[in-house]
Amino acid sequence: MNHRRRYDRNPRPAKTCFDRSGAEYPCGQAAAEALSGFVAESQPTRCRQVDVDHTGLIVADCFRADRRSVSAWMVHQGQALDWPQHSHYRYAGDEAMARTAGRGLWQGAFLEPREARRALGE
């Protein structure tokens, strides 16, 4: 079993997206920086395994020391997408709010991470 972390619903650090004006920007880097900043505000972060994906990678819920959910925050900020097959739509409301507000990925156009990997032949 592969125990690497996998953020399938987060853009990879090298991913680019398009903003409201159609300009390309490094959305993967923006998501990574948002995650790093959020986690750094309340240490330690604790994770618990909730599932294993189809490739054998662990899917986990992570929480800061103040008990705030990392996944809920990332999705609410528009820096990640809900992953219903593992979250059972727990973050669907956060995703809808981010989309309506045009936050993060929702400020413009992007390929969902799974679609982007498929396009790259991964």
Side-chain angles (χ1 to χ4, degrees), residues 2-66:
N2 189 336
H3 292 285
R4 290 178 298 131
R5 288 186 188 157
R6 182 171 178 170
Y7 303 102
D8 231 26
R9 302 301 288 179
N10 296 356
R12 291 195 176 166
K15 182 171 179 50
T16 58
C17 299
F18 297 92
D19 65 17
R20 288 176 185 84
S21 67
E24 196 170 14
Y25 78 99
C27 59
Q29 180 181 343
E33 290 171 3
L35 174 63
S36 179
F38 181 71
V39 169
E41 291 174 3
S42 182
Q43 293 287 332
T45 301
R46 299 182 192 272
C47 299
R48 65 178 173 82
Q49 181 177 336
V50 295
D51 208 348
V52 176
D53 77 3
H54 68 280
T55 66
L57 296 174
I58 294 172
V59 177
D61 271 342
C62 297
F63 297 88
R64 300 187 326 177
D66 63 5

Side-chain angles (χ1 to χ4, degrees), residues 36-102:
S36 179
F38 181 71
V39 169
E41 291 174 3
S42 182
Q43 293 287 332
T45 301
R46 299 182 192 272
C47 299
R48 65 178 173 82
Q49 181 177 336
V50 295
D51 208 348
V52 176
D53 77 3
H54 68 280
T55 66
L57 296 174
I58 294 172
V59 177
D61 271 342
C62 297
F63 297 88
R64 300 187 326 177
D66 63 5
R67 298 185 180 181
R68 289 191 64 192
S69 166
V70 174
S71 295
W73 187 86
M74 287 291 287
V75 174
H76 188 79
Q77 296 302 312
Q79 300 297 342
L81 305 176
D82 187 21
W83 197 4
Q85 68 200 52
H86 298 290
S87 72
H88 307 286
Y89 296 94
R90 183 176 318 134
Y91 311 115
D94 292 301
E95 186 173 298
M97 284 189 266
R99 183 183 307 204
T100 299

